[in-house]
Amino acid sequence: MRKKVALAGLMAAVLGGLTWASPLALCDYKAPTTSLVSLTLSGSYRYFDTPATPGVEASSGRLGLTFSSLGDSPETGYALNLLGDLGLNAFALSTVAIQGSGFYRLYLKEGENLFGFGGVEGGLATGQPQLGLRASAGVGFGRFQDVTPLAKAFRIQALLIERKAIPQSLPDDTLMAVAKEIGRRAEYPEVKDLAAAVVKLVETGAKVKLDPRTVLAVEDAILAAGKDRYCGWAAQIGLGYEILDPYLAAQDLVVSGSVDVAWPPEMNSQLLLRVSFSGPLDIVNDHTATANLSYETVLPGGILFLGQAVADWVKRPGQEGRLSMSTTMQFSFTLGMANVGVSLSLAKPADQVDWSLDVSVSFLMKVL
């Protein structure tokens, strides 16, 4: 009996130690409300002409836009998404792919994850006679959290270690306390007051005294914009009605669903995934599905990497399914006085077997 009790105590101690030792993750932060907006513009163009051969050898490019807006509170939530991709040939529009959606969520119980929703989705692409538009309603499960305050707390920690202001990483409870304080930014009349509260928490947790220059650096880190991070997932399914059929077919009842995932691997990275599908009641033989994956991270040297992959699958009655895919990778970095960008794209239209490759380099220099 004593051996069993001792073994149980040892296992509890080991498990407790593992729990205590587990590192603090961004998704551990829980915000009371979430409100995030993201807009990304991208583009590339290649032009090449040589007197050795007649005509222009290459003159093509693309313009891309990605917009997302996400809101969440204990009672309600919303999600807006827009993805646009324009293909250019000889400076003229050659292909179009636009997809958009907007949903409003009402949680069935405050603070829980089960919700009812209503919304609209639409899309327009090259080869479609007209815009496709449908309204839908249904149920779903999941939530998203704004974890930007904890990401900023991690950046402040990295800044303090780099400046040798603290000898080692801050305790997890201190990091979380800093994040919660940053999350209450609206309660402070000025950022310097918030920075003072954050500095006090750091000095207490690390048992150090920060110099005035470091205090100003902490304030700058709190003010830094453009690095929102969020975490969570949501899945939903429902019934809808086609307001406009993209192929001029009869308006039908449709089944639609989607899964959205947001995960920040660490403070300087964000991964987003959206998978959606729709079709009439005979969805096995007639359906459309889209997957969109994007990843953003800051590489050593301050290089910003943005990668995106999009796949579209269309199946119509009596026809083979058509798959279109594209990937884009962009690197942006500063080289001396110049801002340099490198873009690499791979694409496979549904009616082609081989992939196309496009690489472009651009730079902008401000001399004065």
Side-chain angles (χ1 to χ4, degrees), residues 34-351:
T34 292
S35 180
L36 294 169
V37 177
S38 174
L39 175 64
T40 301
L41 299 173
S42 60
S44 64
Y45 207 92
R46 181 173 177 243
Y47 180 87
F48 179 66
D49 186 15
T50 175
T53 56
V56 176
E57 280 68 30
S59 180
S60 62
R62 61 172 295 276
L63 295 172
L65 180 147
T66 303
F67 171 80
S68 64
S69 180
L70 178 70
D72 191 273
S73 70
E75 304 88 6
T76 62
Y78 68 87
L80 302 174
N81 292 282
L82 177 63
L83 176 66
D85 192 273
L86 306 178
L88 304 174
N89 187 24
F91 296 100
L93 187 64
S94 59
T95 60
V96 175
I98 301 174
Q99 298 171 352
S101 64
F103 291 99
Y104 180 80
R105 296 166 178 163
L106 179 64
Y107 291 96
L108 303 186
K109 185 178 179 182
E110 182 177 333
E112 298 295 331
N113 294 336
L114 185 64
F115 60 83
F117 76 88
V120 294
E121 296 178 90
L124 178 65
T126 302
Q128 287 183 204
Q130 68 174 7
L131 170 74
L133 185 64
R134 62 181 178 273
S136 59
V139 296
F141 188 87
R143 277 186 185 269
F144 291 93
Q145 294 285 343
D146 179 4
V147 298
T148 304
L150 184 53
K152 289 192 173 186
F154 275 113
R155 293 190 192 107
I156 290 171
Q157 173 181 261
L159 171 70
L160 296 176
I161 293 176
E162 181 182 357
R163 297 174 70 97
K164 296 182 171 55
I166 57 176
Q168 58 187 5
S169 299
L170 295 169
D172 285 354
D173 57 348
T174 299
L175 275 172
M176 186 60 75
V178 168
K180 289 180 178 179
E181 207 65 38
I182 294 174
R184 290 193 287 266
R185 177 178 173 177
E187 301 175 14
Y188 286 87
E190 296 185 32
V191 177
K192 67 178 182 180
D193 300 321
L194 172 57
V198 168
V199 166
K200 184 177 180 181
L201 289 171
V202 171
E203 290 179 337
T204 302
K207 297 179 174 56
V208 297
K209 182 68 176 177
L210 302 183
D211 62 82
R213 289 182 179 273
T214 301
V215 173
L216 290 175
V218 170
E219 185 175 332
D220 290 339
I222 294 173
L223 279 170
K227 296 181 179 178
D228 291 340
R229 299 289 178 255
Y230 55 108
C231 182
W233 65 275
Q236 60 188 45
I237 188 168
L239 287 176
Y241 182 74
E242 283 185 313
I243 301 172
L244 292 173
D245 186 276
Y247 295 95
L248 304 177
Q251 296 166 299
D252 296 316
L253 284 174
V254 295
V255 179
S256 64
S258 65
V259 176
D260 293 273
V261 178
W263 178 53
E266 45 87 33
M267 61 183 178
N268 290 321
S269 303
Q270 180 74 64
L271 185 146
L272 302 174
L273 172 65
R274 175 172 175 77
V275 179
S276 62
F277 68 90
S278 65
L281 297 182
D282 183 20
I283 195 169
V284 174
N285 297 309
D286 189 357
H287 57 263
T288 301
T290 300
N292 182 15
L293 175 67
S294 67
Y295 178 70
E296 171 191 316
T297 189
V298 179
L299 302 175
I303 299 173
L304 176 64
F305 170 78
L306 176 62
Q308 186 175 47
V310 180
D312 291 296
W313 171 264
V314 178
K315 175 70 172 67
R316 295 290 174 250
Q319 300 178 10
E320 293 292 331
R322 292 165 56 88
L323 177 65
S324 299
M325 296 182 290
S326 66
T327 64
T328 301
M329 290 173 281
Q330 294 181 322
F331 300 85
S332 299
F333 56 94
T334 300
L335 182 62
M337 298 174 60
N339 293 322
V340 181
V342 179
S343 174
L344 184 149
S345 299
L346 291 168
K348 192 194 80 62
D351 57 352

